[in-house]
Amino acid sequence: MGIALDTARKALTTGDIPVGAVVLDPLGRVIAAGRNVRERDGDPTGHAEMVALQAAAAVRGQWRLDGCTLVVTLEPCTMCAGALVQARVDRLVFGAYDDKAGAVGSLWDVVRDRRLNHRLEVIVGVRAEECGAVLAEFFEQRRSEPG
């Protein structure tokens, strides 16, 4: 989670919401990292999870990420949760819940939906306070900016 948090903080330089993600291979080695780049790239799919999954698929040379774990600072949205299922990721670890858009227990639970062809193990609340604090600081600064 420390690497994901460091990656999230890099998003602050581009005005993106500070979310960071890393993909671990089956041996626990970091093979990819991603941060939000929606603002920087003007890309609606530029979520940290999507960036990390795409990079991991490139490293592995295939779209199937079975045996891998995605670690992310914020609960994934529906798009990202769906991508985790589609990529056949085995495990998801996340820090802070997202009460407004979360799709892994807050509003929906896409990754454990029995109607889908793949379900993930989910570990929640890892360094949750720290993950939430990075986001809270970002939004506090944003609200205090003029205009």
Side-chain angles (χ1 to χ4, degrees):
M1 186 61 78
I3 296 169
L5 279 160
D6 290 343
T7 303
R9 289 181 184 106
K10 291 177 184 171
L12 293 169
T13 62
T14 60
D16 280 287
I17 297 171
V19 176
V22 294
V23 177
L24 309 175
D25 72 7
L27 298 176
R29 299 174 297 208
V30 175
I31 59 169
R35 62 182 170 86
N36 277 0
V37 293
R38 284 192 324 174
E39 298 299 326
R40 186 192 78 186
D41 295 354
D43 179 0
T45 68
H47 291 202
E49 301 94 326
M50 300 297 283
V51 173
L53 290 173
Q54 291 168 352
V59 167
R60 292 189 90 185
Q62 62 178 343
W63 63 268
R64 286 184 174 267
L65 298 177
D66 45 331
C68 291
T69 299
L70 183 113
V71 179
V72 62
T73 57
L74 182 65
E75 178 184 4
C77 69
T78 53
M79 173 181 67
C80 295
L84 290 166
V85 171
Q86 293 300 316
R88 310 299 194 270
V89 170
D90 280 6
R91 187 173 305 100
L92 167 66
V93 177
F94 72 85
Y97 276 101
D98 184 349
D99 296 331
K100 294 181 180 179
V104 186
S106 287
L107 298 178
W108 302 280
D109 199 352
V110 173
V111 301
R112 291 177 287 211
D113 190 320
R114 295 209 173 276
R115 296 170 293 182
L116 299 176
N117 62 340
H118 179 75
R119 284 173 292 289
L120 287 68
E121 174 187 357
V122 178
I123 300 167
V124 303
V126 176
R127 295 175 71 172
E129 287 185 27
E130 191 175 353
C131 293
V134 171
L135 290 160
E137 181 181 337
F138 171 78
F139 286 112
E140 186 176 309
Q141 286 178 341
R142 200 174 217 186
R143 284 189 294 273
S144 67
E145 291 175 357

